[in-house]
């Protein structure tokens, strides 16, 4: 499984200029490589073979493009091979129903990272602090808030500039083996959980735990104020650039607060249970709906489900996503469906008389469907 460690860099003013110089040189190389790639007909090989044809031109490019000699060799290779990764990512989005186009040249603000592959980077101690030594660049102070285990080999380091101007380094390690999962037959009922996500209550599970939604109202109000201030500045002026960075910091604060909430919640379920069942929500379709799309986007359900699935793999927990249609309407006791408008927060079955919280009823149905999908029968929610 893919695993990466992300740390904040603390470059000096001179080092920031060097980082930006390397980043922009990689951007220009990427744009040049994309132009050369587009000249190669598809009949001349697979995607990987055509990108490698462009990569093989690097030696000749360095003969007349002096700036390329300032970059470490694997950095230039990674900048070219990025074309393959981007086209593959577009293909995956297209398969999921998204309307995607083709690759375009990158403007300076659109190209924010470059990568060292296998070599050219190492941790070191200098003047009493930890630094990231980068070949042909600099020794940049780095905040290592946790250690990378000695038995893990770092295969690449990606340096990225955020819109706020901050620099981060992400270290991808060799594929880690997934821990073994317990046998389904050995999992007790109290080690299984079904989770229903929503807006009023972010998550309600079969154990009766209800997690409230994250309150970002103050952060949104500040963001709106700063965006209004930005609209009053002359585009491209120094004041506009300062205000643009303030707006970016507001976005970053909201993003960090939301990600922290989702990481902690997904980590809790992955570690506390041996089997987790959730709904396979069509978030894309829900966002296209004219009703409540802002709250749907803010809830970031797809991000939560992705984090939960990943953490379940890391912890050796069974993860199953089920068909969401009808989980709210269906009675967890007898299976009879009852239409309920959104404002009705209690489930009351007219057939068997079973009463429960609307979200709790949905969570029991989700767990029951998850067990059925895994072929281990049903769970009695009541």
């Amino acid at each position: 499984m893919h695993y990466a460690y992300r740390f904040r860099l603390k470059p000096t003013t001179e080092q920031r200029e060097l980082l930006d110089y390397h980043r922009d040189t990689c951007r220009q190389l990427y744009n040049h490589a994309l132009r050369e790639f587009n000249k190669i007909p598809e009949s001349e090989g697979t995607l990987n073979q055509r990108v490698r044809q462009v990569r093989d031109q690097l030696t000749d490019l360095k003969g007349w493009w002096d700036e390329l000699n300032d970059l470490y060799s694997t950095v230039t290779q990674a900048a070219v091979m990025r074309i393959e990764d981007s086209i593959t990512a577009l293909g995956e989005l297209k398969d999921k129903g998204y309307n995607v186009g083709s690759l375009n040249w990158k403007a300076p603000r659109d190209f924010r990272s470059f990568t060292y592959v296998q070599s050219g980077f190492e941790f070191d101690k200098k003047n009493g602090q930890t630094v990231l030594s980068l070949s042909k660049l600099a020794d940049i102070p780095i905040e290592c808030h946790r250690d990378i285990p000695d038995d893990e080999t770092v295969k690449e380091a990606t340096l990225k500039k955020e819109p706020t101007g901050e620099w981060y380094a992400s270290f991808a390690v060799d594929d880690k083996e997934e821990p073994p999962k317990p046998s389904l037959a050995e999992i007790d009922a109290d080690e299984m959980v079904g989770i229903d996500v929503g807006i009023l209550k972010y998550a309600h599970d079969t154990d009766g735990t209800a997690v409230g939604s994250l309150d970002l109202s103050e952060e949104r109000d500040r963001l709106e104020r700063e965006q209004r201030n930005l609209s009053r500045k002359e585009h491209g002026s120094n004041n506009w650039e300062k205000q643009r960075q303030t707006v970016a910091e507001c976005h970053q604060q909201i993003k960090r607060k939301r990600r922290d909430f989702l990481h902690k919640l997904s980590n809790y379920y992955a570690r506390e249970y041996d089997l987790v069942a959730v709904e396979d929500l069509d978030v894309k379709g829900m966002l296209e709906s004219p009703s409540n799309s802002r709250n749907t986007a803010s809830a970031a359900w797809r991000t939560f489900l992705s984090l939960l699935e990943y953490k379940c793999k890391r912890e050796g927990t069974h993860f199953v996503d089920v068909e969401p249609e009808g989980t709210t309407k269906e009675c967890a006791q007898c299976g009879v469906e009852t239409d309920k408008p959104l404002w009705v927060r209690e489930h009351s079955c007219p057939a068997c008389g079973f009463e429960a919280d609307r979200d709790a009823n949905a969570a029991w149905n989700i767990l029951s469907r998850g067990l059925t999908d895994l072929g281990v029968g049903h769970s009695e929610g009541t």
Side-chain angles (χ1 to χ4, degrees), residues 297-329:
S298 180
W301 290 322
R302 179 49 56 189
T303 302
F304 170 66
L305 297 179
S306 298
L307 289 175
L308 181 59
E309 182 178 11
Y310 157 73
K311 292 178 188 292
C312 284
K313 288 182 179 179
R314 186 189 67 187
E315 300 296 333
T317 301
H318 292 276
F319 174 88
V320 56
D321 50 3
V322 304
E323 171 61 42
E325 185 176 357
T327 54
T328 301
K329 298 178 181 180

Side-chain angles (χ1 to χ4, degrees), residues 25-45:
T25 303
C26 287
R27 178 189 68 85
Q28 296 177 52
L29 173 60
Y30 172 88
N31 290 339
H32 174 83
L34 181 60
R35 185 186 65 179
E36 296 300 313
F37 172 80
N38 290 331
K39 294 179 180 179
I40 303 175
E42 294 186 7
S43 59
E44 288 199 13

Side-chain angles (χ1 to χ4, degrees), residues 77-315:
Q77 294 171 18
V80 175
M81 299 306 294
R82 188 167 175 167
I83 296 174
E84 180 181 2
D85 297 335
S86 299
I87 293 178
T88 302
L90 287 179
E92 293 175 353
L93 289 175
K94 186 175 182 180
D95 293 340
K96 294 179 180 179
Y98 289 89
N99 184 19
V100 300
S102 57
L103 294 185
N104 297 319
W105 282 23
K106 296 288 187 180
R109 287 180 182 169
D110 296 332
F111 198 97
R112 294 189 288 151
S113 65
F114 57 93
T115 302
Y116 283 79
V117 181
Q118 300 293 345
S119 62
F121 60 92
E122 63 179 3
F123 292 101
D124 201 355
K125 290 283 188 179
K126 291 188 178 180
N127 299 324
Q129 64 179 350
T130 303
V131 298
L132 177 63
S133 296
L134 301 169
S135 295
K136 293 194 172 184
L137 209 158
D139 296 334
I140 304 176
I142 184 171
E143 291 183 351
C144 293
H145 57 277
R146 56 176 173 166
D147 295 327
I148 299 177
D150 294 334
D151 60 344
E152 295 180 1
T153 303
V154 179
K155 61 180 181 180
E156 65 181 37
T158 298
L159 281 70
K160 182 177 181 181
K161 183 180 183 180
E162 296 292 342
T164 58
E166 300 170 332
W167 279 91
Y168 287 85
S170 296
F171 301 93
V173 301
D174 284 332
D175 293 340
K176 298 178 65 174
E177 293 185 4
E178 296 181 20
K181 298 178 181 178
S183 170
L184 292 172
E186 298 175 354
I187 300 177
D188 296 331
D190 59 355
E191 296 173 338
M192 306 175 182
V193 68
I195 307 171
D196 177 64
V197 295
I199 292 176
L200 296 179
K201 286 181 289 188
Y202 192 87
H204 198 300
D205 63 38
T206 49
D207 279 350
T209 302
V211 180
S213 293
L214 188 63
D215 184 10
L216 295 172
S217 56
E218 292 185 5
E219 288 79 3
R220 284 184 184 146
D221 290 342
R222 186 197 171 202
L223 174 60
E224 291 175 359
R225 290 196 302 270
E226 300 298 350
Q227 286 177 326
R228 285 195 296 269
N229 291 337
L230 178 63
S231 67
R232 300 187 185 106
K233 309 295 183 184
E234 181 182 354
H235 189 278
S237 65
N238 290 335
N239 286 335
W240 179 89
E241 178 58 31
K242 291 179 181 178
Q243 187 61 29
R244 182 206 64 79
Q245 185 164 345
T246 301
V247 171
E249 290 171 354
C250 291
H251 281 291
Q252 185 78 300
Q253 183 180 14
I254 292 175
K255 178 181 177 181
R256 284 175 175 169
K257 192 171 182 179
R258 181 186 292 121
R259 296 282 291 193
D260 179 69
F261 171 76
L262 297 179
H263 271 294
K264 289 177 179 176
L265 184 61
S266 58
N267 197 57
Y268 164 77
Y269 283 116
R271 289 188 173 181
E272 291 295 320
Y273 296 94
D274 289 333
L275 187 150
V276 177
V278 295
E279 294 175 292
D280 184 16
L281 296 173
D282 179 19
V283 179
K284 176 178 179 292
M286 297 168 73
L287 289 174
E288 293 174 351
S289 172
S291 59
N292 216 19
S293 58
R294 175 178 176 176
N295 286 330
T296 301
S298 180
W301 290 322
R302 179 49 56 189
T303 302
F304 170 66
L305 297 179
S306 298
L307 289 175
L308 181 59
E309 182 178 11
Y310 157 73
K311 292 178 188 292
C312 284
K313 288 182 179 179
R314 186 189 67 187
E315 300 296 333

